[in-house]
C-alpha cells in the first residue's frame, strides 16, 4: 500500500474507500474520500485493508509555452523558495516548489504583457532559515543574471526579507533595479497577495532606477503596491498583506498594477542603462544583535566578547539607552576592541544619546549611536563594514549614510504607515 | 398521485447555524450587525489546478476584473478579512455538531480534517469555504419510514451580500464564519409529505441542541428526481410548509416537461439555430416595450419549428415552458424578459404585427417564435440561451440548480455545480474526535416526558415548551424561582408573549433580564400574577425602564399586606349587613368586590386569606 493508491479499509465503524494520503501521525491512516473530504482512521480500528487501484504518479512536466519575446526589456525572476509560484498537489495537499519562467507565466499570465520574463530557482529555503551565506549566494546569482536581464525580481519569504534586502544593498552595486517581493497569503489561495505583488515588482523592475527595493501591498486592499528602499523597510505585522512599512522614510513610489502607472514619492538614483554590476560579498559573521530590557543580564554581552565576536548592535530603549547595571559589561566589550553600536527598539525615530545622562555615559564608554538606522540594517551593515574596513574606519562609517540607510532629516509624515498618500 | 410509480426520489440538505459564543475559526461573536466600520477592496483569482493550469473559463472570469468590497465591523476581524490565519476551531461548535450527529444516530470519523472548498464568487474573502466532515451513516425515523443520513459537516457560513456597486459586489463580513452544520440525507424520501416530515423531524432534533433560531438560521436545499426526469437541486427553502409544495410542483414540472418532450417528438419539432434581426418589422409597432428597446437596441428572433402552443403550456401554476426560456435569458444575459408567439397579441403587439413577423420569417401557425428586444449583444446572448433551453426541451428535463419561489414554484438559478475542488486547510492540524467529550442531549420525546414529570406541565404545554425559543430560559427560571409554578412560567413565555405580540407589541424588546426581574417581582409578592401581561407590555414599550418603574407607571405597584388588610376591612365595613345576613356564603360576593379594587395590585390568594380571616372574626 503506497501513497496515491485507491484503497478499501474495513473498520468497526464501516468501510471506507479513498485515495491514500501521507499521514500526519503514525497511528493514523489518512484517506481522501470520493466526496473530496479527507478523513483520518485510527490504525487500531482497522480490520482489513485492500488496494483497489495502484496510484499513478502525478506528472508535473508541462509543455513549454513558447511565449514570444516581444518586449524591449527583460525581467529575471529568481526564486529563493518563497511561495509565489509553487504548485499544490490537490490530491495530497502538498506544495511542490517548481520554478521556471513558464511556471510563473502560467500563474500570473499578465507579467508576460509587461516584459520578457526569465526565471529560475536559486535556493529553496524558508526565509526563517536564511543565513548570511545565502545572501552571498543571492548576490552572486544577481551578477550572473545581469547578463540577460534589465531588472531582477527576487521572490523571498517575508519573515527575513528586510535582512536580505539590507545585505544586498551593501554587497551589490548594480546599475539596474533589484526588487524583492513575497506573499503574506500563499499563492495556492484565490485571495493571495502574490499576484499583485509580483505584477507590481515586474513593473518596478522595468523602471530606469538602480538599487535594492522591496515591493509589497500598500494597504489591505488589492489596489496598490509600494516600492520601499531596501534599507528602510521592515515587516511590521505578522500576517496582514500590508505588513511592510517604510520606517523613518517615505516609500519611494506607489505602483498601480492595474494601469501599470508608477508615481514617485521620493528622489531615487537613476540607472544609466549600463547593466554594470559589482559585488563585494565579504561579511564578518561574528556580529550580534542584542535587545536591551529591564532586568537584562549583562553576562550575555561578555559571552559574545569571550566567543570572539567583533561587533554588537544594541537595540536600546527610547533615544538609545541601556540600564546602568550593564555598563561594566559594555565597557568590557569595548576594551576588547568589540564595536558596540546603538539603535532603538522603538523602531521609529532617531537615536540621540545626548539628551539623558545615561546616553552620555554610554557615549563616553565608546558606544556609537546610529541615527535613524533600523536595528536589522545596522546589524547587517556592521557585518559588512567589519569585513571590509579597518576598525577605525568602521567606527567612522557606521553612522554615516552609505546606501540610503540613514536619513539625516526626519520627515513628519514618515511615521505609522500613514504616509498621507 | 402515485409517487412510487413515477419513481420519486428526494434528498434533503439542511444547513443550520449553531448558537456558539464565537465563530468557527476566530473569536468574533456570532451576532449579525448592520454596522460598517470600514471597507476593504479585493480581487480573487482562480488558482492553479493539479496540472499547473488555470481553468480557461475561470481565467476569462478573472480577466473581467470583478472586484469585491468587504465591510468589516465588530462581528469580524482580520481572520474574516483573510489577513490572519484561522484560529483553532471553536470547541463548542465541534461539540454541538457531534451532539447533533449523536441524535441522528451517526458514526463519527476518528480524525477530522479541515478542508478548503474553492468558491470564487466573492462570498469568502479567502476564495474558499472551510468545512469539516465529521459524521456519516445515520438515520432518522419518520412516520413514513426510515431516512438515512449520509453526512454531517461543520462549516463556516459565507459573507452576506449587501449590494452591487457597478461592477463591484459588496459583502458584509458579519455572517462569515458563523458555524453551520450541513446535514445530507440519502435520496430515501419518496413523497412530498415524507419530505416535509423528514425536514420537520431533523429540525426538531436540531432544536434539542444549541442552534440559532429565527429567520435565515436554517436553510433547506432539496434534491428531486423522477424516473426519466433529472436531478434538480432546489436552493433556499426556508419554510417547512413550503417543502411539500416545492416537491409536488417539481414533480408536476418534470412530468409536464416529459409530456411536452413526447409531444415535440411526435410533431418532429426542431430548434433552428439562427438568430434573426426583425427590427424592421417592429419599426412602427406601438408596443411600449419594443419602443423603449429600439432607442438603442434591436428586436431579435429565433424560430422553434412545431413548438406552437407548447411554449405557452403551463408546467407549474402560473409558469409555462416560455417562463423557463425567460428564466435562462434573464440569468444568462440579464435581459428583462422574452416575448413568444404563444402569448401574442399582448404588450401592445398586434395580430397584424405577428402576421408580418410570420411572413417575414416564413413560418407557420404551428411554429413558435421567440423575441427579445434589447441591446443587440444582450439580445443575441439571451436568444442563444433560449436556443439551448429549447433544445433541452426536446430531450426532457435538464439537470440544474433552481431556487424556490415564495409560492412553491421554482426558477432557474445556475447549472448543477461540478465536483467541488477541495484541499486541506494547512493552517489547522487534524482533530482527534475521541478527545472531545460530548454529552448526549435528550431527544424531543424524552424532553417532553421529562417536562411533564418534572415541571407538571400538561402534554400540550410540554410540547410547546420543548420546541420553544425560550426552552433554556424556562428551565433556568424554574430552577431559580422554586415558589412559582412552572406552568405559570411556561404560559408566560409561550402564551402571554405571543398574545401581546398579536396585539402589536414589539416583544423583541423583551430580553432575558426583563423576564428575570418579572419573575423576581412575582416571587417576592411585589407583583400579582394578574399583572404579568401589563408588565410585559410595559417592557415592550419601555425596555430601558426597570421593573419598579414599570409597576409605578402601570399602577401595578403591589400593596403591602397591611395596605391590603386596610382595603379589605373597608369593604367589610361597607358590607357588614351582607355578612351578617349570608354568613359564610358572603365570602364569594365580597371576594369579587375586593378583587375589583385590588386586581393586579395584590395576589388573589392573599386577599382571599385575609378576607376569610376577617369574616371569621366577625362571625
Amino acid at each position: 500500500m503506497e501513497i496515491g493508491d485507491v484503497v478499501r479499509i474495513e473498520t468497526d465503524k464501516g468501510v471506507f474507500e479513498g485515495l491514500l494520503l501521507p499521514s500526519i501521525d503514525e497511528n493514523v491512516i489518512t484517506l481522501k474520500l470520493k466526496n473530496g473530504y479527507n478523513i483520518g482512521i485510527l490504525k487500531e480500528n482497522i480490520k482489513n485493508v485492500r488496494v483497489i487501484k495502484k496510484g499513478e504518479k502525478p506528472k508535473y512536466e508541462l509543455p513549454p509555452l513558447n511565449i514570444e519575446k516581444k518586449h524591449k526589456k527583460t525581467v529575471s525572476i529568481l526564486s529563493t523558495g518563497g511561495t509565489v509560484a509553487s504548485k499544490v498537489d490537490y490530491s495530497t495537499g502538498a506544495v511542490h516548489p517548481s520554478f521556471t519562467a513558464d511556471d510563473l507565466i502560467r500563474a500570473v499570465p499578465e507579467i508576460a504583457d509587461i516584459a520578457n520574463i526569465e526565471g529560475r530557482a536559486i535556493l529553496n529555503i524558508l526565509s526563517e532559515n536564511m543565513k548570511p551565506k545565502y545572501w552571498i549566494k543571492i548576490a552572486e546569482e544577481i551578477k550572473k543574471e545581469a547578463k540577460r536581464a534589465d531588472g531582477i525580481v527576487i521572490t523571498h519569504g517575508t519573515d527575513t526579507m528586510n535582512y536580505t534586502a539590507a545585505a544586498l544593498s551593501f554587497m551589490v552595486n548594480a546599475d539596474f533595479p533589484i526588487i524583492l517581493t513575497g506573499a503574506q497569503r500563499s499563492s495556492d489561495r484565490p485571495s493571495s497577495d502574490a499576484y499583485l505583488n509580483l505584477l507590481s515588482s515586474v513593473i518596478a523592475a522595468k523602471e530606469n532606477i538602480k538599487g535594492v527595493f522591496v515591493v509589497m501591498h500598500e494597504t489591505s486592499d488589492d489596489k496598490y503596491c509600494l516600492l520601499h528602499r531596501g534599507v528602510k523597510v521592515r515587516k511590521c505585522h505578522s500576517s496582514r498583506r500590508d505588513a511592510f512599512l517604510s520606517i523613518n522614510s517615505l516609500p519611494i513610489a506607489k505602483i498601480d498594477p492595474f494601469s501599470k502607472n508608477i508615481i514617485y514619492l521620493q528622489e531615487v538614483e537613476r540607472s544609466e542603462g549600463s547593466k554594470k554590476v559589482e559585488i563585494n560579498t565579504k561579511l564578518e559573521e561574528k556580529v550580534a544583535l542584542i535587545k536591551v530590557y529591564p532586568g537584562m543580564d549583562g553576562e550575555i554581552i561578555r559571552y559574545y566578547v569571550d566567543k570572539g565576536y567583533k561587533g554588537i548592535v544594541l537595540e536600546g530603549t527610547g533615544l538609545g539607552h541601556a540600564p546602568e547595571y550593564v555598563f561594566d559589561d559594555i565597557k568590557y566589550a569595548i576594551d576588547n576592541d568589540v564595536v558596540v553600536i546603538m539603535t532603538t527598539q522603538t523602531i521609529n525615530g532617531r537615536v540621540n544619546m545626548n539628551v539623558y545622562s545615561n546616553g552620555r555615559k554610554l557615549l563616553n564608554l565608546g558606544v556609537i549611536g546610529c541615527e535613524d538606522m533600523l536595528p536589522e540594517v545596522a546589524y547587517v551593515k556592521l557585518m559588512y563594514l567589519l569585513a571590509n574596513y579597518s576598525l577605525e574606519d568602521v567606527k567612522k562609517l557606521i553612522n554615516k549614510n552609505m546606501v540610503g540607510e540613514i536619513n539625516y532629516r526626519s520627515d513628519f509624515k514618515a511615521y505609522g504607515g500613514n504616509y498621507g498618500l | 398521485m402515485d409517487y412510487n410509480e413515477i419513481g420519486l426520489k428526494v434528498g434533503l440538505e439542511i444547513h443550520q447555524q449553531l448558537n456558539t459564543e464565537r465563530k468557527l475559526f476566530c473569536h468574533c461573536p456570532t451576532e449579525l450587525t448592520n454596522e460598517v466600520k470600514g471597507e476593504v477592496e479585493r480581487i480573487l483569482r482562480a488558482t492553479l489546478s493539479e496540472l499547473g493550469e488555470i481553468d480557461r473559463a475561470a481565467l476569462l472570469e478573472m480577466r473581467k476584473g470583478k472586484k469585491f468590497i468587504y465591510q468589516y465591523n465588530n462581528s469580524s476581524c482580520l481572520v474574516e478579512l483573510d489577513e490572519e490565519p484561522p484560529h483553532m476551531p471553536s470547541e463548542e461548535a465541534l461539540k454541538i455538531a457531534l451532539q447533533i450527529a449523536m441524535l441522528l444516530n451517526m458514526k463519527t470519523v476518528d480524525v477530522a480534517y479541515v478542508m478548503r472548498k474553492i468558491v470564487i464568487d466573492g462570498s469568502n474573502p479567502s476564495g474558499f469555504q472551510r468545512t469539516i466532515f465529521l459524521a456519516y451513516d445515520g438515520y432518522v425515523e419518520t412516520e413514513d419510514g426510515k431516512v438515512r443520513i449520509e453526512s454531517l459537516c461543520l462549516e463556516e457560513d459565507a459573507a452576506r451580500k449587501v449590494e452591487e456597486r457597478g461592477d463591484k459586489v459588496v459583502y458584509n463580513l458579519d455572517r462569515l464564519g458563523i458555524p453551520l452544520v450541513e446535514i445530507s440525507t440519502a435520496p430515501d424520501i419518496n413523497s412530498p409529505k415524507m419530505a416535509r416530515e423528514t425536514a420537520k423531524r431533523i429540525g426538531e432534533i436540531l432544536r434539542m441542541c444549541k442552534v440559532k433560531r429565527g429567520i435565515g438560521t436554517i436553510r433547506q436545499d432539496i434534491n428531486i428526481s423522477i424516473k426519466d426526469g433529472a436531478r434538480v437541486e432546489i436552493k433556499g427553502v426556508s419554510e417547512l410548509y413550503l417543502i411539500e409544495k416545492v416537491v409536488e410542483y417539481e414533480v408536476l414540472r418534470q412530468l409536464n416537461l416529459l409530456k411536452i418532450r413526447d409531444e415535440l417528438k411526435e410533431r418532429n419539432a426542431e430548434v433552428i439555430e439562427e438568430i434573426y434581426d426583425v427590427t424592421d418589422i417592429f419599426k412602427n409597432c406601438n408596443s411600449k416595450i419594443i419602443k423603449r428597446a429600439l432607442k438603442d437596441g434591436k428586436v431579435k428572433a429565433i424560430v422553434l419549428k412545431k413548438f406552437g402552443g407548447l411554449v405557452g403550456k403551463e408546467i407549474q401554476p402560473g409558469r409555462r415552458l416560455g417562463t423557463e426560456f425567460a428564466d435562462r435569458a434573464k440569468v444568462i444575459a440579464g435581459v428583462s424578459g422574452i416575448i413568444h408567439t404563444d402569448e401574442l397579441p399582448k404588450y401592445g403587439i398586434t395580430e397584424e404585427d405577428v402576421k408580418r413577423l410570420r411572413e417575414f420569417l416564413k413560418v407557420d401557425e404551428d411554429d413558435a417564435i421567440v423575441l427579445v428586444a434589447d441591446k443587440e449583444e444582450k439580445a443575441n446572448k439571451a436568444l442563444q440561451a433560449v436556443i439551448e433551453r429549447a433544445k433541452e426541451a426536446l430531450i426532457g428535463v435538464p439537470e440544474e440548480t433552481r431556487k424556490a419561489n415564495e409560492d412553491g414554484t421554482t426558477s432557474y438559478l445556475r447549472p448543477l455545480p461540478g465536483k467541488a475542488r477541495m484541499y486541506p486547510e494547512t493552517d489547522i492540524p487534524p482533530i482527534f474526535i475521541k478527545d472531545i467529550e460530548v454529552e448526549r442531549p435528550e431527544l424531543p420525546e424524552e424532553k417532553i416526558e421529562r417536562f411533564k414529570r418534572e415541571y407538571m406541565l400538561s402534554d400540550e404545554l410540554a410540547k410547546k415548551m420543548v420546541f420553544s425559543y425560550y426552552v433554556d430560559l424556562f428551565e433556568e427560571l424554574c430552577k431559580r424561582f422554586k415558589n412559582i409554578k412552572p406552568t405559570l412560567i411556561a404560559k408566560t413565555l409561550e402564551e402571554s408573549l405571543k398574545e401581546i405580540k398579536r396585539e402589536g407589541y414589539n416583544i423583541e424588546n423583551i430580553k432575558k433580564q426583563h423576564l428575570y426581574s418579572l419573575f423576581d417581582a412575582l416571587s417576592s409578592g411585589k407583583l400579582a400574577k394578574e399583572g404579568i401581561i401589563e408588565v410585559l407590555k410595559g417592557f415592550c414599550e419601555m425596555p430601558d425602564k426597570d421593573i419598579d418603574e414599570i409597576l409605578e407607571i402601570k399602577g401595578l405597584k403591589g400593596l403591602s399586606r397591611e395596605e391590603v388588610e386596610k382595603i379589605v376591612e373597608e369593604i367589610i365595613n361597607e358590607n357588614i349587613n351582607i355578612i351578617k345576613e349570608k354568613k359564610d356564603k358572603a365570602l364569594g360576593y365580597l371576594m369579587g368586590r375586593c378583587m375589583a379594587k385590588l386586581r393586579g395590585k395584590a395576589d388573589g390568594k392573599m386577599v382571599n386569606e385575609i378576607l376569610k380571616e376577617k369574616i371569621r372574626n366577625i362571625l
Side-chain angles (χ1 to χ4, degrees), chain B residues 98-99 102-103 105 209 438-443 445-446:
Chain B
L98 290 172
Q99 286 183 323
M102 240 179 220
L103 293 185
N105 307 299
C209 304
V438 183
E439 259 176 63
R440 181 184 173 281
E442 293 160 297
L443 279 169
E445 44 282 10
E446 293 166 348

Side-chain angles (χ1 to χ4, degrees), chain B residues 336-353:
Chain B
S336 54
I338 62 161
I339 299 167
H340 58 82
T341 42
D342 278 3
E343 58 181 345
L344 295 177
K346 205 181 173 184
Y347 316 118
I349 299 172
T350 62
E351 205 129 355
E352 198 51 40
D353 294 327

Side-chain angles (χ1 to χ4, degrees), chain B residues 266-408:
Chain B
E266 205 157 294
R267 293 184 187 182
N268 236 337
E270 191 189 345
V271 178
I272 308 293
E273 292 192 47
E274 195 175 337
I275 297 168
Y276 302 94
D277 190 334
V278 294
T279 312
D280 282 349
I281 308 280
F282 293 95
K283 269 272 151 68
N284 302 312
C285 175
N286 278 323
S287 159
K288 275 185 197 154
I289 303 175
I290 303 270
K291 273 187 175 167
R292 203 180 316 130
L294 284 185
K295 272 183 204 152
D296 56 351
K298 300 221 153 149
V299 185
K300 295 287 190 121
I302 56 164
V303 174
L304 305 174
K305 278 271 182 211
K306 303 259 176 16
F307 271 68
L310 291 177
V311 182
K313 193 174 155 63
E314 195 173 76
I315 52 173
Q316 273 185 336
R319 294 180 55 86
R320 286 146 234 287
L321 180 59
T323 324
E324 300 249 312
F325 292 175
D327 280 353
R328 286 281 179 96
K330 284 179 196 167
V331 172
I332 291 167
V335 295
S336 54
I338 62 161
I339 299 167
H340 58 82
T341 42
D342 278 3
E343 58 181 345
L344 295 177
K346 205 181 173 184
Y347 316 118
I349 299 172
T350 62
E351 205 129 355
E352 198 51 40
D353 294 327
V354 180
K355 211 175 140 202
R356 274 187 292 133
L357 180 65
R358 287 200 188 274
E359 273 166 20
F360 179 80
L361 293 171
K362 296 187 186 68
V363 300
D364 296 331
E365 283 291 320
D366 58 357
D367 299 329
I369 301 166
V370 177
L371 301 170
V372 174
D374 211 311
K375 292 203 180 81
E376 186 165 14
E377 198 187 331
K378 259 171 110 178
N380 286 341
K381 202 171 166 192
L383 285 173
Q384 195 53 50
V386 176
I387 288 175
E388 293 308 317
R389 180 64 189 86
K391 278 159 72 185
E392 287 165 0
L394 296 171
I395 303 164
V397 184
E399 280 199 342
E400 57 195 19
T401 301
R402 302 178 65 82
K403 69 165 194 280
N405 301 324
E406 274 173 28
D407 61 354

Side-chain angles (χ1 to χ4, degrees), chain A residues 18-142:
Chain A
L19 191 79
L20 190 69
L21 300 181
S23 200
I24 37 107
D25 185 314
E26 55 177 352
N27 300 314
V28 175
I29 290 221
T30 306
L31 280 192
K32 177 171 234 39
L33 302 180
K34 264 201 202 106
N35 61 13
Y37 282 94
N38 292 5
I39 62 159
I41 301 168
L42 290 173
K43 281 186 180 163
E44 65 197 43
N45 293 343
I46 295 175
K47 290 201 295 201
N48 197 6
V49 179
R50 213 174 73 214
V51 176
I52 294 183
K53 212 178 101 204
K54 287 303 287 178
E56 285 162 32
K57 283 268 168 299
K59 274 190 292 190
Y60 293 103
E61 300 299 311
L62 292 168
L65 285 174
N66 294 322
I67 299 274
E68 196 193 337
K69 306 256 182 223
K70 58 183 176 185
H71 301 281
K72 278 196 201 134
K73 287 199 170 182
T74 298
V75 172
S76 277
I77 304 178
L78 304 179
S79 151
T80 65
T83 52
V84 170
S86 53
K87 287 176 198 163
V88 176
D89 176 353
Y90 288 95
S91 56
T92 61
V95 177
H96 297 263
S98 94
F99 209 88
T100 65
D102 281 2
D103 292 335
L104 277 166
I105 293 165
R106 280 193 190 93
V108 185
E110 293 88 337
I111 56 174
D113 299 338
I114 303 171
N116 304 321
I117 302 296
E118 299 287 350
R120 63 197 169 91
I122 55 171
L123 287 169
N124 187 15
I125 48 165
L126 297 169
S127 88
E128 57 269 32
N129 298 328
M130 200 43 86
K131 285 180 183 175
K133 73 169 186 185
Y134 299 133
W135 301 337
I136 293 167
K137 161 95 174 154
I138 297 169
E140 286 163 351
E141 295 292 343
I142 288 171

